[in-house]
Amino acid sequence: MSTMRLKITSSGSGEVLALLELDRAILVEQVLKDLARSTEAPFRAYTLLHNDRPLLPTECLRDIFEGDEATLTAVALPMLKIPCNLDVLAAAFIPNSDDLLMVTKGNITAVKDEEIPALGDNDPTGILWFWRLFRAEQWSFLSASLVARRSPCLSNNALMELWAEEKDKEEFESYSPWTKEEVEEQKRTGIIKWGKKFVDQAGLYLRIHDESHAVFTWNQSDILGGCGNVDRLDLATGEVTNLGRIWDAWDVTTDSSGRIFYTSCYDGTDVHLLKDTTLLQPSSEKPTPTFIVSQTVGLGFNLCFDATLKVLVTSSRDGAFFVISPPGEGRLDVGEGLPSIRPPGDDHTPGDKTAPWDTVKILEPDGRKASTGHGFYAHGGRITFVDANAQEQLCTTNLLDGKTASGSDPPFAVA
C-alpha cells in the first residue's frame, strides 16, 4: 500500500480537523503542512500525538502505522507559524493592534518592486524592507503595507567616494562586493545594484518600543567605512531617524522611559546605554557617547528589557542568562553576582565605565543556550528564546526559581 487515509482530531474539542489521503512515505513534517492548508487557521502550529506520544517532524508515516487507516490527535500550540520564501531578518508584534512588523530582504508580494509605495523612507535600491502585516487580515502578505525600504548605507555619497578611488582590479575585487565592470556600469547609469555579497551580509536587530515607534540597529559595511547605527522607525509615517552612531551594534532594547541600550563587541561583549539620548531625543554627537553598564565576561549578544522587574536580561555564551539591574536598586535574590567591568588592562572599549550596573548570572536549568538573533524576550522573570541547538524549539525559562510571574505574557515574534 503506497497511500493511507489519515484522520486528525483536535485534542481540545475532539472534532475532526482534517481527513487526508497521504503517501505512506512522507514525513510528519509534511503532514503538519497539509493539516495547516486544510484548516481555516493556516498559521496555527500543532504537535501531533499517536497514543499520547508526540511525533517528531522527522518520523515517517510507514514507520508509525501498518494499516491503511489511522488517527492522530493534534495539540494546538500557543504560537503561529507564518512561512516566508525570503530571508526574514526580524519580526515583532505591535502593541494593542497585534499587527506584525517584519523585516525581509526583498518583496514578499507579487506586485513589482517599483509599483509598491512605501509609507515613509523609500530607497528604491533598498535591501531592507519593513512590512506591516495586519492581524485583521490574518497577517496576510497580500494586504501587507510597506512601511519603509532602506539600504545598509548612510549615504550614496560613500559609494561615489569609494568608486572614485583609484584601485587596481585585483586589490579592488579583494574587498569589494562588486566587480570593476559592475562599478563602471553603475557609475554610467547612476543606478545602484547591491551585489550578492552585500545582500548576504545585510542584517539588523529590531525592538518594538510601543504602538508608535520601533528601534533597530545595523552596521554599515567596513567597505563603506563601517560603523554601527541606532535608528528609530515611526510606525505611523514610516520615517526613519538616526538616534546614534556607534562603533558596533548588535541587539537593542528600550526601557519604559525610552532610554536605549544595545550590545556590542570590541574587546569583548558589552552592554551600552546611549548618553543623553532617548527614543524621542536623538543624539547630536557622532559618534554618540555611551555608558557601559556591563561587560561581564561571558555576556551573549541577545538583549531585552523586563518591564515588570525593571532589569535588562542578556543571553550568554553558555547555558545561562545575565540580569543587569540599575545600581542601588538591589540585585535579584538569585544567581551569582559578578564584576560588571573588565580589568583596565584587558579592555579598551570606547565608553564611560564610571557608572556600571549590577550583574547577576543565572544558570539555565537544562543548560540550554539562546540562539543569537532569533528573538529574545523577558516578562515577569520569564525568558523566551530559541534553543541554539534546536532552531525549531521555542523555550521558556523562569529566572525566579520556579516562582509564578505576575501578569500575562505579551505576544512576541521570532524570525
Side-chain angles (χ1 to χ4, degrees), residues 13 47 59 64 84 134 258 388 395 397-398:
S13 65
T47 290
E59 291 187 74
I64 304 170
C84 182
F134 299 96
C395 307
T397 292
N398 193 333

Side-chain angles (χ1 to χ4, degrees), residues 352-369:
D352 187 333
K353 305 170 190 173
T354 62
W357 290 20
D358 295 326
T359 305
V360 169
K361 182 177 184 179
I362 302 175
L363 298 179
E364 208 285 327
D366 298 318
R368 294 174 295 189
K369 176 184 173 183

Side-chain angles (χ1 to χ4, degrees), residues 105-124:
K105 290 184 180 180
N107 186 357
I108 61 175
T109 75
V111 181
K112 293 181 179 179
D113 291 6
E114 61 272 15
E115 296 178 2
I116 300 179
L119 182 63
D121 280 43
N122 184 22
D123 181 347

Side-chain angles (χ1 to χ4, degrees), residues 235-294:
L235 298 175
T237 68
E239 180 184 4
V240 176
T241 303
N242 183 260
L243 300 177
R245 196 157 299 154
I246 49 189
W247 290 100
D248 173 72
W250 287 69
D251 207 353
V252 63
T253 194
T254 57
D255 67 7
S256 303
S257 67
R259 292 187 299 175
I260 300 160
F261 303 83
Y262 68 94
T263 52
S264 73
C265 184
Y266 196 86
D267 282 341
T269 309
D270 313 272
V271 179
H272 294 254
L273 164 64
L274 290 183
K275 267 189 181 183
D276 303 321
T277 305
T278 67
L279 197 69
L280 300 179
Q281 181 182 341
S283 173
S284 59
E285 296 186 61
K286 313 292 183 184
T288 305
T290 70
F291 288 108
I292 297 177
V293 300
S294 182

Side-chain angles (χ1 to χ4, degrees), residues 4 7 13 16 29 79 105 127 169 175 206 233 239 251 275 344 367 378:
M4 65 178 297
K7 179 168 71 173
S13 65
V16 177
E29 180 181 26
M79 60 183 288
K105 290 184 180 180
I127 297 172
K169 181 178 176 67
Y175 69 86
L206 174 75
L233 174 64
E239 180 184 4
D251 207 353
K275 267 189 181 183

